[in-house]
């Protein structure tokens, strides 16, 4: 079977033979492609990037991501959980928005504290 | 000559996206006085709305979101205390006859005047709109560019659609197909007129395939329906000459058409200055240090040519910022060779570069016929070299040479009575 490695912008087209741990991967420009093929076949995972509502008028949404990848099948449930969250304090990039989020943390990917000088 | 205005800079950087931030940081690190001007409320450029990951693999060997990538440069920018204005609109920019540029900026507090030795254009690019694509029908509400949809969803938290069609398979369109699906909208399909997708294979895979969104190649949107609000579109297949194939038309009910058909460098300001634009890139012609054909004007990032990866945008900003700082400091070290135009037709060279101390030979012609005059090169008011001439004629070029040190303040050529 064929699949596209999504680890980097090269997007290598992988040609896979076999199943389970015992697979042969052709077309990968680097070892990450082989690893990707293995997990993609057994336990496909994705990073979720989205936004969470905030109470701040100047920044109504805070961009967030999962610190690690989560099971692909959980993506839509994760979005449901996101809708229940509201950020009530000004966070820095990297701060936790939710400590326990589908086996990982949900973290802020932008800074909410900077003030610009408007001359 | 020394009463420098406080609003005089070595560089004005126009645009606070990744290109402008990198240029400002590089110039500041090289000791230049920098002012960055951004028309939006916040710095970061298009990256502010790029909440998806895949940025920074070249520069940081990490998969960052656009916002995280921007954060790395914003930190440096703020740590260096670089002066900047946001919500600031460039009203006008003029080249000064003595070199450098004068700006009028409209800001929240009114008009501000600025002067700088160099200008770095980092204005990014704009999206080609539905108007630039041929579609029949009215222009009802509900036709957006992918970037506009991205702004609405990611920055404002507003959903612009319940069910949409995407025209064009550029990366922004693919990213938005996933984004809208995650937020609960139905993306009926992506329609691409070419025979292969415009965006990266990984985005076709993780943005369309993951969400079972069909990609229709050799296809386009041929009509839009609806008066006030979009009610649907007609799609069709095209032949190899991009002509619609009769009988392949299909009506799709939807409340939005999202257009992702490419980006064009933003060069309004470049054009207002008369910078020459390359019809191939739609950005300015530049040299190896990204200086345009107008001395002191540099261009970088997507304003120069549309880049796929933001890493290269930052690299070009860095190069332009460094070069502009060097150019500005060279300029500062140039002093004008002064002379009275009643006495002399001209003097060449016009400038002395203090970075290259040593001999200078001035070539000159007198303005009129003279007999028995003395001509001197004065350095900081002291005659370093003088010579008596029996006769001076405008048709006869003369020269004088003397040695000048780097700490010179003034060089002038004087005609005196012998
Ligand atoms: C939707 C989208 C998705 C992308 N996805 C990826 C990706 O996954 N990976 C990747 O590596 N790259 C991606 N890119 C590309 C990357 O984001 C851009 O290449 C990069 O942001 C360009 O940087 P820039 O500084 O040239 O322009 P911009 O980021 O557009 O910044 C230009 C700035 O200049 C300001 N400006 C313009 N004119 C004026 C003026 N007259 N006065 C004052 N300010 C002005 C604008 O307001 C803006 O803030 C994406 C781009 C887009 C649009
Ligand atoms: S195999 Fe390596 S080079 Fe190819 S897409 Fe995957 S990570 Fe990138």
């Amino acid at each position: 079977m064929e699949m596209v490695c999504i680890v980097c912008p090269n997007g290598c087209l992988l040609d896979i033979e076999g199943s389970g741990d015992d697979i042969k991967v052709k077309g990968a420009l680097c070892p990450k492609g082989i690893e990707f093929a293995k997990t993609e076949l057994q336990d496909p995972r994705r990073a979720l990037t989205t936004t969470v509502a905030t109470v701040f008028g100047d920044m109504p949404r805070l961009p967030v991501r999962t610190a690690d990848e989560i099971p692909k099948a959980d993506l839509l449930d994760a979005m449901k959980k996101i809708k229940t969250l509201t950020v009530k304090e000004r966070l820095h990039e990297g701060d936790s928005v939710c400590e326990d989020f589908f086996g990982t943390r949900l973290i802020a990917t932008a800074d909410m504290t900077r003030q610009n000088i408007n001359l | 000559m020394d009463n420098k205005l406080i609003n005089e800079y070595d560089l004005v950087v126009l645009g606070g996206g990744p290109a402008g931030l990198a240029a400002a940081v590089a110039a500041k690190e090289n000791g230049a006085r920098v002012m960055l001007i951004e028309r939006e409320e916040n710095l970061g450029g298009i990256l502010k709305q790029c909440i998806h990951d895949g940025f920074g693999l070249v520069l940081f060997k990490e998969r960052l979101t656009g916002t995280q990538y921007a954060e790395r440069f914003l930190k440096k920018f703020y740590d260096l205390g670089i002066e900047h204005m946001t919500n600031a609109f460039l009203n006008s920019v003029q080249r000064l006859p003595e070199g450098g540029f004068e700006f009028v900026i409209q800001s929240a507090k009114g008009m501000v005047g600025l002067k700088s030795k160099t200008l770095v254009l980092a204005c990014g690019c704009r999206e080609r709109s539905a108007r630039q694509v041929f579609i029949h029908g009215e222009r009802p509400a509900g036709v957006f560019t992918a970037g506009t949809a991205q702004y609405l969803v990611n920055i404002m938290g507003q959903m612009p659609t319940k069910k949409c069609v995407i025209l064009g398979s550029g990366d922004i369109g693919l990213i938005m197909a996933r984004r809208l699906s995650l937020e609960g909208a139905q993306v009926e399909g992506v329609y691409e007129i070419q025979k292969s997708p415009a965006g990266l294979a990984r985005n076709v895979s993780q943005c369309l395939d993951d969400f079972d969104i069909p990609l229709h190649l050799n296809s386009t949107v041929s009509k839009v329906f609806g008066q006030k609000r979009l009610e649907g579109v007609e799609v069709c297949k095209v032949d190899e000459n991009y002509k619609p194939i009769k009988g392949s038309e299909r009506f799709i009910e939807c409340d939005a058409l999202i257009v992702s058909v490419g980006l064009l460098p933003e060069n309004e300001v470049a054009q207002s200055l008369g910078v020459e634009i390359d019809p191939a890139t739609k950005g300015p012609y530049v040299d190896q240090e990204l200086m345009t054909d107008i001395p002191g004007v540099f261009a970088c990032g997507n304003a120069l040519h549309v880049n796929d990866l933001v890493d290269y945008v930052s690299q070009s900003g860095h190069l332009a910022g460094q070069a502009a700082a060097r150019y500005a400091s060279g300029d500062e070290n140039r002093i004008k060779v002064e002379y009275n135009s009643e006495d002399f037709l001209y003097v060449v060279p016009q400038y002395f570069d203090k970075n290259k101390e040593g001999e200078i030979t001035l070539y000159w012609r007198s303005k009129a016929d003279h007999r028995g005059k003395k001509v001197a090169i004065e350095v900081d008011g002291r005659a370093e070299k003088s010579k008596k001439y029996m006769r001076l004629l405008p048709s006869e070029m003369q020269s004088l040479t003397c040695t000048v040190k780097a700490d010179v303040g003034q060089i002038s050529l004087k005609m005196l009575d012998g």
Side-chain angles (χ1 to χ4, degrees):
Chain A
M1 71 173 291
E2 283 186 344
M3 67 170 70
V4 173
C5 175
I6 59 168
V7 176
C8 92
N10 284 340
C12 295
L13 185 61
L14 309 179
D15 192 2
I16 298 151
E17 271 171 43
S19 63
D21 268 337
D22 195 28
I23 55 167
K24 268 214 179 101
V25 181
K26 275 191 273 180
L29 272 179
C30 84
K32 283 186 197 156
I34 298 163
E35 205 159 305
F36 172 78
K38 279 187 188 149
T39 44
E40 187 67 8
L41 287 175
Q42 292 173 19
D43 174 26
R45 290 179 167 259
R46 298 287 182 269
L48 176 64
T49 60
T50 183
T51 64
V52 172
T54 81
V55 296
F56 304 105
D58 62 333
M59 194 169 174
R61 309 294 298 187
L62 171 67
V64 295
R65 72 177 302 161
T66 51
D68 288 309
E69 294 182 326
I70 63 172
K72 185 176 151 184
D74 287 344
L75 282 178
L76 291 178
D77 284 339
M79 285 303 289
K80 276 186 198 142
K81 172 130 187 215
I82 293 279
K83 292 207 162 72
T84 68
L85 302 174
T86 306
V87 174
K88 298 194 180 75
E89 53 189 321
R90 295 214 179 242
L91 301 176
H92 294 283
E93 192 238 313
D95 286 352
S96 271
V97 175
C98 180
E99 278 294 339
D100 180 20
F101 193 85
F102 295 84
T104 180
R105 287 185 310 138
L106 192 68
I107 58 172
T109 59
D111 192 289
M112 303 176 77
T113 60
R114 281 208 187 95
Q115 296 290 315
N116 273 307
I117 314 158
N118 293 314
L119 281 182
Chain B
M1 279 283 206
D2 257 332
N3 55 339
K4 274 192 179 152
L5 299 164
I6 13 168
N7 58 0
E8 209 172 287
Y9 296 90
D10 292 322
L11 276 81
V12 160
V13 178
L14 203 59
L21 291 174
V25 165
K28 184 79 179 180
E29 285 175 343
N30 279 275
R33 302 195 310 151
V34 182
M35 166 59 87
L36 183 141
I37 292 160
E38 168 58 56
R39 65 179 170 199
E40 289 186 0
E41 169 98 37
N42 290 301
L43 301 178
I46 204 78
L47 294 179
K48 293 194 297 286
Q49 65 189 55
C50 294
I51 64 161
H52 57 282
D53 81 348
F55 296 78
L57 278 157
V58 178
L59 282 187
F60 300 113
K61 308 275 176 282
E62 266 182 81
R63 265 171 81 163
L64 304 170
T65 69
T67 51
Q68 286 177 311
Y69 183 94
E71 197 53 38
R72 305 234 164 158
F73 284 90
L74 285 167
K75 267 190 196 120
K76 271 199 196 160
F77 182 87
Y78 283 95
D79 285 350
L80 287 168
I82 297 171
E83 284 183 68
H84 59 284
M85 285 192 230
T86 58
N87 280 330
F89 292 85
L90 182 67
N91 215 291
S92 67
V93 50
Q94 263 187 313
R95 287 174 78 180
L96 298 171
E98 68 268 27
F101 307 89
E102 191 170 69
F103 303 85
V104 179
I105 314 280
Q106 189 163 2
S107 77
K109 299 218 174 90
M111 297 290 199
V112 182
L114 297 178
K115 272 189 186 176
S116 76
K117 291 179 184 154
T118 64
L119 166 61
V120 178
L121 297 167
C123 303
C125 56
R126 66 171 86 191
E127 290 178 282
R128 295 180 61 196
S129 69
R131 276 175 208 287
Q132 285 154 295
V133 185
F134 186 74
I135 306 175
H136 282 288
E138 298 287 316
R139 284 287 178 271
V143 182
F144 306 97
T145 64
T148 301
Q150 192 179 44
Y151 173 81
L152 289 171
V153 178
N154 293 350
I155 307 260
M156 303 308 292
Q158 292 166 8
M159 275 298 279
T161 179
K162 286 197 175 71
K163 182 181 174 190
C164 68
V165 160
I166 298 184
L167 174 62
S169 60
D171 284 313
I172 317 172
L174 302 180
I175 298 282
M176 282 317 291
R178 172 176 66 183
R179 188 74 192 108
L180 291 165
S181 303
L182 278 172
E183 290 289 348
Q186 188 195 341
V187 179
E188 195 276 340
V190 174
Y191 294 82
E192 167 60 57
I193 199 161
Q194 305 288 346
K195 59 178 188 292
S196 55
L200 296 173
R202 70 194 287 249
N203 285 337
V204 173
S205 168
Q206 64 184 346
C207 299
L208 301 187
D209 299 350
D210 274 8
F211 297 89
D212 300 318
I213 299 166
L215 170 61
H216 304 273
L217 298 170
N218 302 311
S219 300
T220 191
V221 171
S222 41
K223 278 184 192 155
V224 296
F225 300 94
Q227 294 295 320
K228 282 208 173 90
R229 176 83 203 186
L230 187 76
E231 286 159 11
V233 300
E234 182 193 84
V235 295
C236 68
K237 289 258 166 208
V238 297
D239 63 20
E240 54 274 27
N241 299 315
Y242 309 124
K243 291 267 173 311
I245 296 173
K246 276 224 162 64
S248 70
E249 302 89 352
R250 194 155 56 83
F251 175 80
I252 302 163
E253 200 185 323
C254 59
D255 62 4
L257 171 64
I258 291 169
V259 185
S260 177
V261 289
L263 305 166
L264 293 170
E266 173 76 68
N267 50 37
E268 227 172 278
V269 177
Q271 276 175 323
S272 80
L273 276 166
V275 170
E276 204 187 335
I277 304 294
D278 184 345
T281 59
K282 312 274 192 293
Y285 284 100
V286 292
D287 66 14
Q288 76 271 31
E289 294 199 317
L290 307 186
M291 187 154 89
T292 67
D293 64 327
I294 295 187
V297 179
F298 296 76
C300 55
N302 278 357
L304 179 57
H305 63 121
V306 173
N307 290 257
D308 305 333
L309 294 183
V310 70
D311 309 66
Y312 300 124
V313 166
S314 298
Q315 282 173 350
S316 79
H318 184 87
L319 179 61
Q322 248 180 354
R326 196 165 341 110
Y327 183 91
S329 77
D331 232 8
E332 196 166 47
N333 273 328
R334 254 159 59 154
I335 54 169
K336 203 155 186 177
V337 177
E338 292 174 24
Y339 64 91
N340 187 340
S341 57
E342 303 286 334
D343 294 333
F344 300 100
L345 256 186
Y346 67 71
V347 178
V348 173
Q350 294 88 343
Y351 292 99
F352 178 72
D353 185 346
K354 297 205 275 183
N355 294 328
K356 297 167 195 145
E357 67 172 346
E359 266 188 3
I360 182 169
T361 301
L362 298 180
Y363 299 91
W364 48 270
R365 291 172 196 274
S366 69
K367 178 90 180 263
D369 281 16
H370 291 292
R371 277 168 198 272
K373 291 274 183 187
K374 197 165 88 179
V375 175
I377 304 179
E378 286 186 6
V379 176
D380 294 330
R382 245 192 39 234
E384 279 294 337
K385 178 86 178 195
S386 68
K387 191 172 168 187
K388 233 183 132 169
Y389 293 89
M390 295 296 290
R391 186 152 190 214
L392 288 171
L393 289 169
S395 57
E396 281 182 23
M397 191 177 74
Q398 303 288 347
S399 71
L400 281 174
T401 302
C402 79
T403 307
V404 183
K405 291 238 167 64
D407 60 359
V408 59
Q410 194 189 34
I411 301 175
S412 51
L413 193 68
K414 290 266 168 74
M415 192 177 289
L416 310 156
D417 286 325

